[in-house]
């Protein structure tokens, strides 16, 4: 039955916002959340503007759960999820999403694996059926498993081996998080990609791909009750992963993400870049730590905007040494890093710059942070926040990411209040704390460094 | 039967879509023709002034000047230096920026609606009074030269630049928009002011507005602050593109060596003469692009990745602008599989040039591009961009509602002709960026011209 759309401008109407002079604009989405008895969490976002819908399936498994010898297998499994399940054979998933102009993709991080589709509303039922099928009945056919190894090795070359910033990032994680699960890369070691077996991957799949380890988000031209029933029909019968509870109990007990070294490390990598590129990294905090919001503001003020202190000092000022610089508070689920990075101008001396940067950082929290720069940082977050609602996929991500990160899909309602409540005094204090830590890593890459 | 159902479904969805499209209105705003798309969903706005000329204004000696002028608009006026400008914009969470492509250029303003009056005045000041001081110009040139000198750090970026410059050689696009080290180093403030004044005074302009109704009230503010007008003499680059003829390539393959690279980056394509594309509706280009790439069901990914495991990604397209078209295939593979990958691509192209697609596959792609057209218009900002694109092509809004009809009218024979023209074997250039040792592999299947990377800096 084809349903002509009803133009209900919910998020498209000013009434959904109250942008009064004295208040920040508020976002209100039409949402609903429920859980199935097998543990699947579901969030629905209604937006009946166009007959389109976005689906996101979050699996709470990232490369951090990989043991020795199977690094990269979470990402590898993400590739294999497109290679066929019991009811939907090889190529079926793409055929379903592509046939009416839709699209699908996926990504793997240290903490998560996420699958997402943009489809016409008429294709929602079959896409949910296919997602449910690959949640429990993946084939992992041997021939395609073997040939996919070559494709992943090509991806590895493109993203890491032939990209100086990728190479730098790979080594940064290895050095900074050595001895912790974040120290092993998402893409994995070459030898592990080559040697991982179908049986190892199937065990990984059986443990982590289950409703009690997933969150489903559907956003678009839906009717709450019909969509809820559709999801119950497709997903309710999928059994829980029985070993998961035990795995997480053991993981929580044994996990250790604390930095295993102290002092100042300076690592020089030989790589294909005529201009040195660098990252200066300090221990940060997990995304759920309240300090993460303060550090977001610190990073934006010191290096996230054109007017930022470091930008004006080293890139746009009177005597530039760099072609670009940034500061970034990267929060992961278990911990985080506070990072400053950039690229030197051709011929600029990186050793001299490193000393100058360290000297600047001693005073930056006292001299570089002002009420004006704090307001600019807050406005920058407000713009990002309001700009992330254009498509159904963006809305699905808007609520889904917050559910995963903060355990509350409605966190978006208070998020800007959290940023706005942070004072300059708190920002200065946190700035001093993060930059004065005992462990920090300066890692750089340049073609003129000797190769090991 | 299934496809028939899909076609009926897409027809109805298109009708629904048209009922739900945001309100748009042509009007005069600030003394210029304008198009407004209403969107009050968030208290944000975007205003883009489109100039109907771009880097084709530059000649060989001034390559890069137009793009530099637009990119340096936030670098200072006699009243505000770059730091004050950055502080002012960051404080408001706003952006004012300029950019240029070959045919058009633009000044874009975005921010919170409450700040729009202030930002409109500020943007006009930044453009009209930009002074391109020697200090800022020196920094700009140093930064760009530095990046050109580091081109080899990313084989993918090196492949992009060296391939496009190779394809564009001896066509109207031969002077790169971003310039070259040699031209940027000769740039000075006076020359950039001349470029600024040309765009300010002589080039045809149109304004695209996205946001609430209150933006319409800023017409007078914009007119008074910018003072820009069009006249009958205003330059419109679309009318100036000269006729050109294709030249013969020197060798089948161009190898741009970057030592110790373990992946071969492949760019294959050519520049197309617009006069040979006039009979093809945009839907033909969309068909070609979606047949070649865009998901695992596309021909390139099916043959290169799914069946043979040769590549991670592959992209192919035929683009037809109103002046110059382009055909492209981009991928990368491990060094030892370069020849097999090239032969597979050659096989794919021969197949589409010699055989018609099966009726089933043809219908499948028609359905796919009709649906995709809707996704491409999902946000108000996408919709405004589409309207701007139609404007530039001299087409009207009915192109959107007529799209399914135009897709239905795509003819199999004509599509085959398009593939033959766009990828004719004796005219396409194949650029490989990778290890010097690839030369001997390539020589097994064709003649090779070696061009050093420095040529493209």
């Amino acid at each position: 039955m084809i349903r002509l759309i009803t133009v209900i401008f919910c998020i498209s109407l000013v009434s959904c916002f109250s942008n009064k002079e004295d208040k920040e604009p508020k976002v209100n989405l039409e949402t609903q959340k429920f859980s199935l008895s097998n543990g699947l969490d579901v969030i629905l976002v209604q937006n009946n503007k166009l007959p389109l819908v976005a689906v996101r399936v979050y699996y709470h498994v990232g490369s951090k759960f990989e043991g020795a010898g199977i690094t990269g297998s979470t990402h590898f499994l993400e590739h294999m999820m497109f290679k066929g399940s019991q009811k939907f054979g090889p190529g079926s998933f793409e055929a379903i999403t592509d046939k009416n102009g839709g699209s699908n993709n996926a990504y793997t991080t240290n903490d998560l694996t996420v699958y997402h589709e943009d489809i016409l509303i008429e294709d929602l039922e079959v896409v949910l059926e296919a997602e449910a099928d690959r949640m429990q009945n993946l084939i992992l056919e041997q021939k395609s498993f073997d040939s996919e190894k070559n494709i992943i090795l090509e991806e590895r070359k493109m993203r890491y081996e032939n990209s100086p910033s990728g190479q730098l990032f790979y080594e940064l994680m290895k050095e900074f998080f050595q001895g912790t699960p974040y120290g092993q890369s998402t893409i994995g070691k070459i030898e592990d990609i080559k040697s991982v077996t179908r049986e190892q991957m199937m065990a990984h799949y059986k443990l982590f791909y289950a409703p009690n380890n997933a969150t489903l988000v559907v956003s678009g031209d839906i009717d709450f009750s019909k969509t809820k029933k559709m999801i119950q029909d497709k997903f309710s019968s999928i059994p829980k992963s029985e070993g998961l509870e035990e795995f997480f109990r053991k993981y929580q007990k044994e996990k250790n993400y604390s930095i295993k070294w102290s002092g100042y490390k300076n690592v020089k990598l030989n790589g294909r870049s005529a201009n040195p590129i660098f990252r200066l990294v300090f221990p940060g905090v997990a995304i759920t730590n309240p300090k993460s919001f303060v550090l977001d503001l610190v990073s934006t003020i010191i290096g996230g905007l054109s007017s930022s202190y470091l930008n004006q000092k080293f890139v746009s000022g009177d005597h530039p040494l760099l072609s670009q610089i940034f500061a970034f508070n990267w929060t992961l689920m278990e911990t985080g890093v506070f990072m400053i990075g950039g690229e030197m101008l051709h011929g600029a001396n990186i050793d001299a710059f490193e000393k100058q940067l360290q000297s600047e950082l001693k005073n930056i929290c006292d001299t570089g942070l002002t009420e004006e720069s704090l307001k600019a940082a807050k406005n920058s977050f407000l713009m990002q926040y309001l700009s992330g609602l254009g498509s159904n996929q963006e809305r699905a991500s808007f609520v889904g990411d917050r559910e995963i990160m903060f355990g509350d899909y409605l966190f978006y309602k208070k998020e800007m209040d959290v940023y706005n409540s942070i004072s300059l005094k708190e920002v200065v204090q946190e700035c001093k704390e993060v930059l004065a830590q005992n462990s920090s890593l300066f890692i750089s890459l340049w073609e003129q460094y000797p190769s090991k | 039967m299934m496809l028939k159902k899909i076609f009926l479904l897409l027809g109805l969805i298109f009708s629904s879509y048209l009922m739900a499209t945001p309100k748009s209105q042509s009007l005069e705003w600030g003394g210029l023709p304008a198009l407004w798309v209403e969107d009050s969903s968030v208290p944000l706005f975007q205003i883009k002034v489109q100039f109907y000329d771009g880097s084709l204004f530059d000649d060989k000696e001034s390559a890069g000047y137009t793009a530099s002028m637009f990119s340096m608009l936030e670098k200072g006026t006699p009243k505000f230096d770059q730091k004050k400008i950055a502080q002012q914009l960051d404080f408001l969470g706003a952006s004012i920026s300029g950019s240029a492509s070959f045919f058009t250029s633009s000044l874009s303003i975005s921010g919170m609606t409450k700040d729009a009056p202030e930002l409109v005045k500020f943007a006009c000041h930044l453009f009209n009074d930009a002074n391109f001081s020697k200090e800022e110009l020196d920094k700009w040139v140093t930064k760009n030269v530095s990046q050109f000198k580091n081109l080899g750090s990313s084989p993918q970026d090196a492949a992009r630049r060296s391939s496009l410059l190779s394809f564009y050689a001896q066509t109207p696009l031969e002077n790169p928009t971003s310039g070259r080290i040699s031209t940027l180093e000769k740039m000075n403030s006076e020359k950039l002011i001349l470029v600024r004044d040309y765009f300010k005074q002589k080039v045809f302009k149109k304004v695209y507005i996205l946001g609430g109704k209150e933006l319409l009230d800023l017409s007078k503010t914009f007119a008074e602050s910018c003072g820009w007008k069009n006249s009958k003499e205003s330059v419109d680059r679309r009318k100036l593109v000269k006729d050109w003829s294709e030249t013969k390539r020197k060798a089948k393959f161009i190898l741009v060596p970057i030592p110790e690279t373990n992946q071969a980056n492949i760019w294959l394509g050519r520049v197309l003469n617009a006069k040979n594309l006039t009979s093809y509706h945009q839907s033909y280009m969309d068909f070609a692009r979606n047949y070649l790439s865009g998901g695992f069901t596309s021909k390139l990914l099916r043959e290169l990745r799914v069946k043979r495991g040769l590549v991670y990604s592959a992209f192919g397209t035929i683009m037809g602008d109103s002046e110059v078209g382009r055909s492209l295939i981009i991928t990368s593979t491990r060094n030892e599989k370069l020849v097999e990958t090239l032969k597979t691509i050659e096989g794919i192209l021969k197949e589409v040039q010699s055989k018609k697609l099966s009726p089933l596959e043809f219908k499948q792609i028609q359905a796919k591009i009709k649906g995709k057209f809707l996704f491409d218009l999902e946000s108000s900002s996408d919709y405004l961009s589409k309207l701007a694109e139609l404007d530039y092509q001299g087409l009207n809004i009915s192109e959107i509602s007529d799209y399914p009809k135009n897709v239905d009218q795509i003819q199999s024979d004509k599509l085959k002709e398009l593939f033959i023209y766009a990828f004719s074997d004796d005219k396409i250039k194949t650029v490989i960026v990778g290890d010097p040792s690839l030369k001997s592999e390539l020589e097994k299947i064709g003649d090779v011209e070696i061009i050093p990377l420095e040529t493209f800096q």
Side-chain angles (χ1 to χ4, degrees), chain B residues 438-455:
Chain B
L438 295 172
K439 181 172 180 275
S440 53
E441 284 299 300
L442 287 169
E443 280 172 341
K444 291 176 190 165
I445 51 170
D447 47 347
V448 183
E449 182 189 3
I450 305 274
I451 306 185
L453 184 60
E454 294 72 41
T455 314

Side-chain angles (χ1 to χ4, degrees), chain B residues 26-75:
Chain B
S26 293
L27 61 153
E28 190 184 291
W29 188 87
L32 297 173
L35 186 70
W36 167 55
V37 168
E38 185 171 14
D39 183 356
S40 304
S41 64
V42 282
L44 306 177
F45 79 97
Q46 289 173 31
I47 294 173
K48 182 165 109 168
V49 183
Q50 179 145 317
F51 298 81
Y52 276 43
D53 198 0
S55 69
L56 286 180
F57 173 63
D58 302 336
D59 57 25
K60 197 175 175 184
E61 300 304 314
S62 65
Y65 286 21
T66 294
S68 296
M69 188 283 284
F70 275 96
S71 297
M72 287 188 69
L73 291 174
E74 314 117 82
K75 298 296 179 194

